[in-house]
Amino acid sequence: MKPFVLWAVLALLCPVALPAAPEVASESLPVDNSSLVRVNSTNQPYDFFRPWMKKAPYMRRGLGVVLADRHILVTAELVANHTYIELEKADSAEKTQAEVVVVDYECNLALLRPMNPEFLAKARPLKLDSGARVGDRALILQLESNGLIAQTPATITTITVTNYPMDRLSLLTYRLSAPLQNREGSFTIPAVRDGRLLGLLMRYDGRSQTADVIPAPVIAHFLKDAKLDKYPGFPRVGVSFASTRDPQFRRYIGLRESGGVYVTEVAPGGPGEKAGLRRGDIILSVAGKPVDQDGLYDNPDYGKISFSYLTSTAAHSGDTVEFVVLRDGKRETIPVTLTPLDRSRIVSEPYIFDRQPRYFILGGLVFQELSRTYLQEWGGSWRKDAPQRLVFLDTFQGDGEKFNGKVVFLSQVLPAPNNLGYQNLDHLVVRKVNGVEINSLDDLARAAAAPVDGFHKIEFEGDPTFIYLDAEETERSKKQLMEDYNIPSLQNLN
Amino acid sequence: MFLRFLRISAWVLLTAVAVPVQASKVADSLVRIQATSQEPNYRAPWSGGQVISGVGAGFVVSGNRIMTNAHVVSNARFLTVSKEGDPKPYPARVLHIAHDCDLALLTVDDPGFFKNTAPLEFGGIPAIESTVSVYGYPIGGDRLSVTRGVVSRIDFQPYSHSGVDAHLTIQIDAAINPGNSGGPVLQNGKVVGVAFQGYSGDVAQNVGYMIPTPVIARFLKDVEDGKYDRYVDLTISYHPLHNPAMRKALGLKDDNTGVFVGEVYGGGVADGILKPGDVLLSIDGLPIASDGTVVMDGGDPVEMAEVVERKYRNDKVDLEILRDGKPMKVTLALTHPWPFSLQANAYDEKPRFVVFGGLVFQPVDANFMAEHNPDDLRLRYTFDHFITHGIYRERDEIVVLSAVLADPINAYASEFRYDIVDRINGKPIRKLADVSAAFKEPAEYYVIEMAGNGRPLVLERKAVEEARNRIIARYGVSKEENLEK
C-alpha cells in the first residue's frame, strides 16, 4: 500500500514515467510533421438490430501523435469497431497498416503500433507536457492537404473534472478557447504547448469555439497502465454524493464543519462498498485533502476541482485512498482500495465496441442482452424514442428490481410458421425459459436445450406473461430461418 | 373557435352542397352553442387558467334537451345557445356530460326556447358507401353549414377527448371542421351520428369521424337514472391464439377459437377471478374467435369488447374459460376501473395541490403531464407504466414536487423538481392527502424523501412558519391546498 499523496506528485512528474529521451525542461521545440501521422481507420460496427451482421463500413480520419516506443496515440473514438487501420506519413503519404495495442473507451484513448516497425524510424516522438495552468497558450495542430502543419493558437480557459464521452468516468479536462477550422481528419486532433503534447481534443463546440481536451495527466495515466500485462482501467470509488450547501440540510444531519458531501448511493460490489462506505456518510476529506460542500478540493495546480480527481485521474487501480467521513456524529477514517468497475455487476452494458453483440435465436424469436449501444440504435433521441422499459432499466441499472445478471429480452420475432401469432411481440424482458430463471443468454441457451413435454415455455415480465413454442418445430425451423433471413449463425454467446 | 377538435388545421376548403329538401325542418332543431370556458391552471393551481370561448353545434332531442359533444362544453363557465331564425341567445346549462364518449346533454331553462323545435329522431348504423349530411357551424362563416359525404368505414377508434377510450366510430368523407363538433349527421331525416373529430389536412384529407347511434343510445340510457356512470371494462389484456404450439400447450383444439389473457390489472373487475394464461372461450354465450372477435346479432364479426361496451355499471358478464386445461365458467360484475382514469384527460376538475414552504406538490395525471411535459425519465416511466407495471399497488397516485416558489428557505430545492415524493418524516406518501397530513404533524424538521437515491429534502418548521406569509404574498398564493377535484 502506497500512501496516496505520492500519486498526486507523480501526476506532476509524469514525463519521467516515460522511458523517453532525457528531459530538457526549458527547451521550446517547434513541432514538425515528423511527430504526427495521419491515421485512417475503417470501422464497421455491428448492427444491434440484426446482431448477426455488420453495418456498412465507413472511414474516420485523425491525426495520431508519435510517442516513444514507436507508439501512436489517438482517441479511442477514432478506432472504435475498426476493421483496418492505416497510417499515412504526413509528408510522403507513405502508408502502412497498424494495430491497436491498448484501447480504453472510458478515457477515450487508444495506442497504435505500425505493423512495419521501420515505418516510424525517422519520426520524432513527442513528449508529454506537464504543469499546464489556466491561461497558458497552446497550439492546436492539424495537417493541410499538402502535409504541412496548420497551427491554431489556443488558450487554456478552464481546468476541471468533467464527464467523458462514454458517460462512465469523470476525469481531468482542459478547456481551450480556439477558432478551429474544419479540416479533414478531425477525429483526433492534438494540442501542444512548448513542443510537448498537451492533450487530444475530444469535443469541439464551433459556436463557442471551445475545445475539451483529454489532458496530458490523463494520457500519462493511460500510458502507465498500458505497460502492464493486463490493462486495468481507471479506478473509481463507486459512490454518488450530494452537495451540503443547504443550511437546513446541514443542521438536520448535524454537520457543523464547513465542508463535506453527503453520500447518497454506494455501488454494490464497488470499492466504496467493500471499504464500508454507506449512504448517509458525510465525506469530509479524501487523501488528506478537505472536501468542500460541493465535493471540490483545493488542487495546488488547478484550483478547486472535484475530489474524484484524487480517486480516478491521479490514482491507479490498487492504490489506497483514505476517506474521512462523519458517521453518527463521529469522524471515521476509511481506507478505500481503488479498483476499476466490476463489469459483472452491470445489468446493462454502457458500451459494446469491437465485438459482436451476443444473441440467441430460438424458433425465430431473437433474444439479446440489454446494452446502451442497443438503445442508441434509435438515434440521437434514444432516451425518448427507445422502448421506455429498456431505457429505464439501462438508466437505473435495475436498481431496486430483481436482476442477478444481465437483462435478457426478446428484441424481435423473425416471422416463421412456428411463431405464428407472436410476430408482433418485441422488447419484452425474459424472466424464465422452461422453468429456469434467466440472468444471461448463457442461461437461456442452456434452458432452451431442455424443453418440457415437447414445448419451450418462455415467460416474460410483461404482457403476455408467457408463450409456448413447439420444441420439435423450433428445431426443424433452424435451417429455414438461416436461409430465409440470411443469418450465418443462430447464436453468438462469445 | 374550437381548436380543440382533434388536429384539425385552421383552414380547409368546405364542400358546399345544395341544402337538401328537409333542411328547413332540420334547421328548426339545430342550435349554435357559444361556450365560454376556463382551462384549469396546472402551473399556478391556486388560480384559474385562461378564459377561452368557442363555437360548436348541437341539436334538440326528446325531453327538452340538446345533444352536443362533451368537448364543446367541457370546463364551461357560461353557455348560450341560439336557434336559426331567432336572434336571441339563451343561457344553457349542462345536464349530463360523458367525457369517455365525448357526448353531453344540455338544457335551456327559458321555456320559450323549445317552442317551434322538433326533437330529432335517431336512426341506425348507415350502410358503407351511403350518403350522409353533416350540419354545423364550422369556420368560414357564421351561418349554418351543411356538407355531404359517404360512409367510408365503421370501426373501433380512439376518442381523442379523453385520450384513453376507444369506441365504435363511423368515418365519413364529408368535410368536418372546427365548429362542426356536436352537430348531427343525418340520413333520411334521422340522426345517424354526431360529428366529433377529424384529422388536420396535412395528416389525412376528407377523413371525419362521427359518434354512431349505439354509442349515443348507450349514453342516453346510462343517464336515465339521473347520473352518468361511465363505460365499464374487463380490465384485462388479451392476445390472439393463432399459434398451434400455444393452443396445444393450453389444451385447445385447432378450431380457431379463444384468446388468452395476457395481464389482469389489479383493482379491476377481473382481479382475483381471471389469471394470466386463462383462455377466454365465450362471452355471454357468444363464441370468441382466435382473433378476439365475436358475431353479435348475426352481423359482421366485431371486437369482443363491443359486448362489454353495451353494458352498464353493475351489469354482469359471463365468460367461459379454460384454465390449466379445465373448462370453467366465471361471472364478472362490471364496475368502473379506478386506476385507468389517471391517464385520461380530465375536465371540469380543479387541480389539486399542497403548498408548503414554497414547495408545490401535485398529483400527476394526464392534464398535469400535458401542461408540464417533464423530461424526468423516472416520472415519465412511472406515469406511463402506472397500470401496466402495477405501480398503483404501491401508491394510489403519483405525487411530485412540481414547482418551487423561490425563497431563501427553499434555495436548494430546485434540483428536486419533478421528483416523486416517497416519504415525509418516514410516513409513506400514497396520495396527495398524505402530504397535507404529514405537514400538519408537528415536527422540528420535515424530511422529504424522493423516489430514487438522492439526498432527502429538509425544511425546518421554524423557517417555514417565518416564510409562510412572505411566500403567500409574493406569489399571490390565494389558497395553500386543494385536496378535492
Side-chain angles (χ1 to χ4, degrees):
Chain A
M1 268 201 314
K2 291 169 189 151
F4 174 75
V5 193
L6 256 185
W7 290 117
V9 177
L10 243 181
L12 300 177
L13 300 176
C14 56
V16 300
L18 298 168
E23 207 171 325
V24 192
S26 58
E27 193 183 6
S28 173
L29 289 170
V31 175
D32 65 32
N33 59 15
S34 71
S35 301
L36 302 174
V37 57
R38 288 187 207 269
V39 179
N40 305 327
S41 181
T42 306
N43 302 334
Q44 195 179 11
Y46 277 91
D47 183 343
F48 278 63
F49 285 156
R50 282 165 294 177
W52 49 88
M53 57 176 274
K54 285 181 163 187
K55 293 179 183 174
Y58 57 86
M59 193 190 274
R60 281 184 170 172
R61 294 170 195 271
L63 202 51
V65 177
V66 180
L67 299 176
D69 293 345
R70 296 201 181 93
H71 282 162
I72 295 156
L73 186 73
V74 293
T75 54
E77 201 178 20
L78 173 68
V79 295
N81 298 310
H82 64 274
T83 48
Y84 181 74
I85 303 171
E86 178 184 84
L87 305 178
E88 185 183 326
K89 280 192 186 167
D91 45 5
S92 66
E94 187 188 340
K95 290 180 181 180
T96 191
Q97 194 183 343
E99 60 184 354
V100 173
V101 182
V102 182
V103 60
D104 182 343
Y105 291 101
E106 301 191 351
C107 69
N108 196 13
L109 289 171
L111 211 50
L112 314 179
R113 171 166 61 203
M115 302 289 251
N116 170 12
E118 292 309 305
F119 186 74
L120 293 176
K122 288 183 189 153
R124 217 177 58 179
L126 272 191
K127 282 177 230 156
L128 285 189
D129 172 75
S130 67
R133 302 283 186 276
V134 169
D136 285 356
R137 298 297 171 95
L139 290 172
I140 294 176
L141 305 182
Q142 290 172 289
L143 279 186
E144 298 288 9
S145 49
N146 62 8
L148 293 180
I149 286 185
Q151 303 188 346
T152 308
T155 308
I156 303 178
T157 58
T158 316
I159 298 180
T160 179
V161 171
T162 61
N163 242 358
Y164 270 43
M166 282 306 119
D167 207 16
R168 301 295 305 172
L169 260 183
S170 291
L171 297 173
L172 195 69
T173 308
Y174 296 164
R175 180 154 293 166
L176 270 55
S177 169
L180 209 56
Q181 283 157 35
N182 190 25
R183 284 185 174 81
E184 189 188 53
S186 57
F187 267 91
T188 297
I189 298 175
V192 294
R193 188 178 76 108
D194 294 340
R196 286 162 182 260
L197 180 64
L198 182 76
L200 301 181
L201 267 62
M202 67 172 162
R203 285 185 278 253
Y204 181 70
D205 179 351
R207 255 186 320 174
S208 62
Q209 302 200 329
T210 52
D212 278 356
V213 167
I214 307 164
V218 172
I219 295 170
H221 188 300
F222 168 73
L223 294 176
K224 181 169 191 284
D225 281 3
K227 291 195 188 307
L228 302 173
D229 291 339
K230 191 175 173 297
Y231 179 81
F234 282 71
R236 69 200 77 195
V237 185
V239 297
S240 311
F241 58 85
S243 151
T244 60
R245 280 207 169 271
D246 185 348
Q248 293 177 89
F249 182 63
R250 295 177 73 80
R251 286 192 285 271
Y252 168 68
I253 57 178
L255 182 56
R256 279 174 203 86
E257 334 225 351
S258 62
V261 288
Y262 182 88
V263 174
T264 53
E265 209 177 345
V266 182
E273 192 201 43
K274 281 182 185 153
L277 288 174
R278 299 204 294 246
R279 176 180 161 89
D281 283 350
I282 297 147
I283 299 173
L284 297 175
S285 79
V286 175
K289 316 277 184 197
V291 168
D292 78 2
Q293 298 172 347
D294 292 321
L296 308 180
Y297 84 100
D298 218 345
N299 181 291
D301 299 322
Y302 311 130
K304 291 254 181 200
I305 57 170
S306 165
F307 81 76
S308 72
Y309 173 82
L310 296 167
T311 55
S312 287
T313 306
H316 288 259
S317 291
D319 290 354
T320 298
V321 174
E322 277 189 352
F323 278 66
V324 175
V325 301
L326 194 66
R327 179 185 291 172
D328 304 327
K330 283 197 273 294
R331 275 173 171 267
E332 287 188 39
T333 301
I334 297 175
V336 178
T337 302
L338 301 172
T339 54
L341 188 70
D342 177 6
R343 294 190 85 91
S344 67
R345 296 273 188 157
I346 293 178
V347 165
S348 171
E349 288 284 347
Y351 55 88
I352 294 174
F353 295 118
D354 306 321
R355 67 175 170 89
Q356 189 175 14
R358 284 152 57 86
Y359 67 94
F360 188 87
I361 301 176
L362 183 67
L365 277 61
V366 183
F367 297 99
Q368 288 178 254
E369 284 171 353
L370 181 61
S371 65
R372 183 160 296 185
T373 314
Y374 176 82
L375 296 172
Q376 283 165 342
E377 293 280 13
W378 266 267
S381 53
W382 63 272
R383 280 174 200 279
K384 277 205 160 162
D385 295 343
Q388 289 296 288
R389 173 63 180 153
L390 300 182
V391 174
F392 187 80
L393 284 171
D394 176 75
T395 306
F396 298 109
Q397 291 288 314
D399 183 34
E401 301 185 55
K402 289 184 199 102
F403 286 97
N404 299 318
K406 304 292 177 210
V407 174
V408 176
F409 67 104
L410 171 69
S411 58
Q412 58 178 313
V413 177
L414 303 169
N418 75 302
N419 59 41
L420 197 73
Y422 305 148
Q423 292 161 3
N424 294 328
L425 300 183
D426 57 11
H427 307 123
L428 290 167
V429 175
V430 179
R431 286 305 198 170
K432 281 181 179 180
V433 171
N434 295 330
V436 179
E437 207 174 286
I438 302 300
N439 291 311
S440 69
L441 277 177
D442 307 292
D443 289 351
L444 193 143
R446 271 193 297 276
V452 180
D453 300 329
F455 295 110
H456 291 295
K457 185 181 187 186
I458 297 145
E459 294 177 61
F460 303 108
E461 66 166 18
D463 186 13
T465 41
F466 64 87
I467 57 169
Y468 284 99
L469 289 174
D470 186 284
E472 261 180 51
E473 271 198 54
T474 299
E475 195 59 33
R476 269 202 299 273
S477 72
K478 279 183 175 173
K479 207 167 146 264
Q480 198 65 42
L481 271 172
M482 292 167 76
E483 275 176 24
D484 288 352
Y485 293 96
N486 197 10
I487 302 174
S489 167
L490 291 178
Q491 65 178 69
N492 172 43
L493 299 176
N494 298 321
Chain B
M1 279 299 170
F2 273 97
L3 296 173
R4 299 155 71 188
F5 212 22
L6 172 73
R7 285 178 289 166
I8 279 213
S9 70
W11 180 259
V12 180
L13 279 179
L14 303 179
T15 317
V17 296
V19 176
V21 184
Q22 77 273 28
S24 59
K25 268 172 89 184
V26 174
D28 287 346
S29 312
L30 207 67
V31 300
R32 182 177 196 270
I33 301 170
Q34 182 94 35
T36 303
S37 50
Q38 188 176 29
E39 308 247 292
N41 187 340
Y42 282 85
R43 295 233 173 228
W46 46 87
S47 48
Q50 203 189 350
V51 175
I52 50 172
S53 81
V55 171
F59 57 98
V60 176
V61 296
S62 64
N64 285 354
R65 296 177 298 177
I66 296 162
M67 174 164 277
T68 184
N69 282 144
H71 76 253
V72 172
V73 295
S74 289
N75 299 322
R77 295 291 179 268
F78 185 68
L79 291 173
T80 57
V81 295
S82 42
K83 292 185 290 184
E84 283 292 304
D86 183 346
K88 183 181 168 187
Y90 293 81
R93 62 188 168 85
V94 176
L95 283 176
H96 298 288
I97 188 159
H99 297 296
D100 56 2
C101 60
D102 203 357
L103 287 172
L105 284 171
L106 318 179
T107 196
V108 176
D109 291 326
D110 186 334
F113 177 80
F114 289 100
K115 260 184 210 163
N116 305 324
T117 64
L120 289 180
E121 283 176 36
F122 290 97
I125 293 179
I128 297 263
E129 254 189 294
S130 63
T131 308
V132 293
S133 301
V134 184
Y135 293 75
Y137 298 90
I139 51 168
D142 287 336
R143 304 289 301 273
L144 171 65
S145 148
V146 188
T147 55
R148 187 183 278 185
V150 300
V151 173
S152 318
R153 177 153 49 186
I154 304 172
D155 200 3
F156 256 67
Q157 286 290 330
Y159 278 37
S160 68
H161 178 58
S162 79
V164 296
D165 293 279
H167 308 294
L168 198 65
T169 307
I170 295 180
Q171 182 189 324
I172 55 179
D173 75 345
I176 294 186
N177 286 307
N180 271 120
S181 282
V185 180
L186 279 95
Q187 187 175 58
N188 301 327
K190 287 187 171 172
V191 176
V192 292
V194 175
F196 79 120
Q197 63 187 25
Y199 282 112
S200 128
D202 28 315
V203 175
Q205 292 183 352
N206 295 340
V207 175
Y209 293 98
M210 64 179 191
I211 302 169
T213 48
V215 177
I216 299 169
R218 191 204 171 280
F219 170 60
L220 290 172
K221 182 147 189 278
D222 191 313
V223 299
E224 271 174 12
D225 63 354
K227 63 185 202 322
Y228 182 62
D229 291 323
R230 295 185 281 181
Y231 271 80
V232 288
D233 195 280
L234 287 177
T235 64
I236 57 168
S237 72
Y238 54 84
H239 297 271
L241 264 176
H242 299 312
N243 191 277
M246 188 78 173
R247 298 189 67 88
K248 210 169 126 193
L250 293 171
L252 285 166
K253 281 189 290 232
D254 194 10
D255 58 359
N256 287 321
T257 58
V259 291
F260 79 101
V261 176
E263 263 190 285
V264 179
Y265 301 127
V269 300
D271 190 15
I273 300 171
L274 292 176
K275 290 203 299 196
D278 282 351
V279 180
L280 307 182
L281 296 170
S282 80
I283 181 163
D284 277 357
L286 303 170
I288 300 168
S290 59
D291 62 353
T293 59
V294 294
V295 175
M296 291 178 82
D297 317 324
D300 292 328
V302 291
E303 282 287 316
M304 64 179 261
E306 182 65 17
V307 175
V308 183
E309 286 275 303
R310 298 190 186 179
K311 291 184 181 280
Y312 301 87
R313 185 175 220 151
N314 300 326
D315 280 358
K316 291 184 167 44
V317 63
D318 294 317
L319 295 166
E320 281 180 276
I321 67 166
L322 198 67
R323 176 177 296 168
D324 305 325
K326 289 187 203 73
M328 287 173 66
K329 284 184 181 175
V330 299
T331 300
L332 304 178
L334 298 168
T335 52
H336 186 76
W338 62 267
F340 295 83
S341 48
L342 179 91
Q343 279 156 337
N345 303 324
Y347 303 91
D348 300 311
E349 287 183 2
K350 290 194 200 101
R352 294 177 300 136
F353 66 96
V354 169
V355 178
F356 186 77
L359 309 179
V360 185
F361 297 91
Q362 284 178 270
V364 174
D365 56 21
N367 293 19
F368 178 91
M369 293 299 276
E371 176 61 36
H372 286 256
N373 192 20
D375 272 338
D376 187 275
L377 173 66
R378 189 186 295 276
L379 177 54
R380 280 192 295 124
Y381 174 83
T382 307
F383 177 72
D384 291 344
H385 294 81
F386 190 69
I387 295 153
T388 48
H389 283 160
I391 297 164
Y392 59 85
R393 293 193 187 92
E394 299 153 25
R395 43 182 107 234
D396 302 322
E397 54 191 10
I398 306 160
V399 182
V400 293
L401 171 60
S402 59
V404 177
L405 307 175
D407 183 88
I409 67 156
N410 55 40
Y412 298 93
S414 54
E415 63 180 284
F416 296 95
R417 191 161 185 222
Y418 296 130
D419 277 2
I420 297 168
V421 183
D422 243 358
R423 284 165 183 277
I424 296 176
N425 282 355
K427 292 215 175 71
I429 301 301
R430 292 186 57 104
K431 52 188 184 299
L432 184 69
D434 296 342
V435 174
S436 169
F439 288 139
K440 289 192 174 92
E441 293 277 327
E444 192 186 346
Y445 291 101
Y446 292 99
V447 182
I448 306 160
E449 289 171 84
M450 306 297 188
N453 292 315
R455 75 166 171 96
L457 171 56
V458 177
L459 287 178
E460 281 167 328
R461 181 195 182 83
K462 218 164 48 180
V464 172
E465 281 171 1
E466 277 167 21
R468 187 173 167 190
N469 291 329
R470 179 170 78 212
I471 292 172
I472 287 174
R474 190 179 291 157
Y475 292 94
V477 181
S478 51
K479 206 175 165 191
E480 286 180 285
E481 66 173 39
N482 174 44
L483 303 178
E484 302 296 322
K485 281 186 182 172

